[in-house]
Amino acid sequence: MEKVLVANRGEIAVRVLRACRELGLVAVAVYSDADRDALHVELADEAWHIGETAPAKSYLNVDGLVEVARRAKVDTVHPGYGFLAENAAFAQAVLDAGLRWVGPKPEAIAAMGDKVAARKVAEQAKAPLVPGSVEPLSGPEAAVAFGERHGYPLALKAAFGGGGRGMKVVGSAADVAAGLESARRESKAAFGRDEVYAERYLEAPRHIEAQILADGRGEVVFLGERDCSLQRRHQKLIEEAPAPGLPEEVRVALGKAACDIARAADYENAGTVEFLYEPGSQKFYFLEMNTRIQVEHPVTELTAGIDLVHAQLRVAAGEGIPASYDGLVSRGHAIEARINAEDPGARFVPVPGPITAWREPAGPGVRVDAGVRAGFTVPQAYDSLLAKLIVWGEDRDQARRRMLRALDEFEIEGVPTTIPFHRLAMHHPAFVAGEVSTVLVEQGMDLSSLQPAILDGAGQPTAKPPPRRLVIELEGKRFDVDLFPQEAVKVPERIRTPRSPKALELARAESGGPGKEVVKTPMQGTIVKVLVADGDTVKAGQTLVVLEAMKMENHVTAHQAGTVVGLEVTEGQTVPTGATIATIEAA
Ligand code: MV4
């Protein structure tokens, strides 16, 4: 192994390039139009342009990537996570080109990517499973029959999906048809296939996952678990290792189940076996296996004292699992906070745009894995992860305090980020107590203190005009004084509350007049579904269009009942923030 193509972008491309450099390997980056000035391009030994910004034209283009691998004369391809990392056809194309693939064999990727097949593997390995349908559902009738047998709510899941995309929870037989259609559509859009299966839905489980490493010759080691329960709409926000409060015998059983599943799948390289865990019963259930390095791998690295990407490259080179991995003991506690270009004060809407200032925290026990820097423009086309802030402490509380300190040091300007959310989370009594669950963020946290970012007229966050700084010394003590300019700041529509009848009248006029509601796009993105037509009657809360932005589907709804007039969008159209979708005339 001498030269590695890193078929990815952002922080994980940087992470892998660094590992290559440390191992004396030549690291080759690829980039799309939007990534010409990206950090991963600068840090690579070589960089090759692979196409337009749209992922399908660049980071998802199998033939284009294999062609670049050939022209760059690499001997190995590392896929990172996301994009083609769990695409068996890409792994096969890499192998067919005579190159090493840093990951499991295409057969294992395919088996685990098909969640129904994965359940069969777990069954064969005698690992515990959530009760569910083994075959994909033939239609709504089959789902209703399953609901009658196992009870509601049901989880309808994309058989070829993952990460919650394409998953819908249905509370009753009446919701099955709509839930199934929505799961199928999201799955088709995200993964190109629309098979869906059903499981009994657990109400407030913890998400605990096991990191394993397999040499492909039957040896599998368990490298520790991570708790990834703190998420919002299936987007993980905070991960930690070890899982707080997990009884030792459960940890051992979970590690063994993960290794058994990996062996049954004839697995090779690093992988993650996900479980749902119910603290009350101390029962855990196999969810799925991810056949890639994960975003949250650093918390395992810091507690196990290992480098998982080095290990991946070593295993791919045929060196096997490092001997020292046998008797690993976990030390201390690690927490990771995902720093996303999102506005936590506005329902975590992704906000692409230019980063005008960027200063990372440092100091004891602090690690930053970033994919951006000052001056880079965060593209709309990719996910919103800018960086991961990972801290290690001797124990959980030291790690938590260290995270708070590091969050305070992190300075990012130009785009809003999830940092204010993380501060709130680190102070939340349930988090402090280690009582995490997958519903904590959405149901247990009061996020109302998070202010929306200041937006300009077009709905984009203004790069806050930097304050003028004045340093004064008063009786020998230094004070930094920030002077803010006096111009009126345009307040975004969603936080404007008309206070007087006159203001109310003006607001109405602006919104289309009395009885009219102009529905606008809350963010820039692509219209993937138009669910209404001019003249349709809609109820308040009814979805008008589905808007995809930064890989998430967002349902744009009518706020009042009425008739749709002046529909202005079509499927496939790209829209900016604040574009008019339609007007709803009150009935
Ligand atoms: C579930 C579940 C409850 N019951 N399955 C969401 C992501 C996907 N990997 C599986 N997910 C879930 N599957 C059953 N039968 C709850 C979730 C779930 C979840 C899982 C892991 C992490 C966060 C989650 C948040 C909400 C729901």
Side-chain angles (χ1 to χ4, degrees), residues 115 119 130-131 153-155 157 161-165 167 169 197-208 228-236 274-276 287-288 290 437-439 442:
K115 305 301 162 190
R119 285 170 64 86
V130 192
L154 293 185
K157 299 186 175 184
R165 298 175 74 200
M167 172 172 147
V169 180
Y197 69 100
E199 276 181 2
R200 183 165 67 76
Y201 184 70
L202 312 173
E203 301 279 356
R206 281 171 65 178
H207 172 133
I208 299 183
C228 309
S229 298
L230 286 201
Q231 55 82 48
R232 185 184 174 278
R233 297 207 182 169
H234 307 303
Q235 301 298 309
K236 293 172 187 168
E274 295 185 352
F275 298 95
L276 293 178
L287 200 54
E288 50 195 63
N290 302 321
S437 96
T438 51
V439 298
E442 280 153 306

Side-chain angles (χ1 to χ4, degrees), residues 145 326 371 376 423 457 498 551 560:
D326 250 352
F376 182 69
R423 273 203 199 98
K551 297 189 167 186
Q560 66 176 25

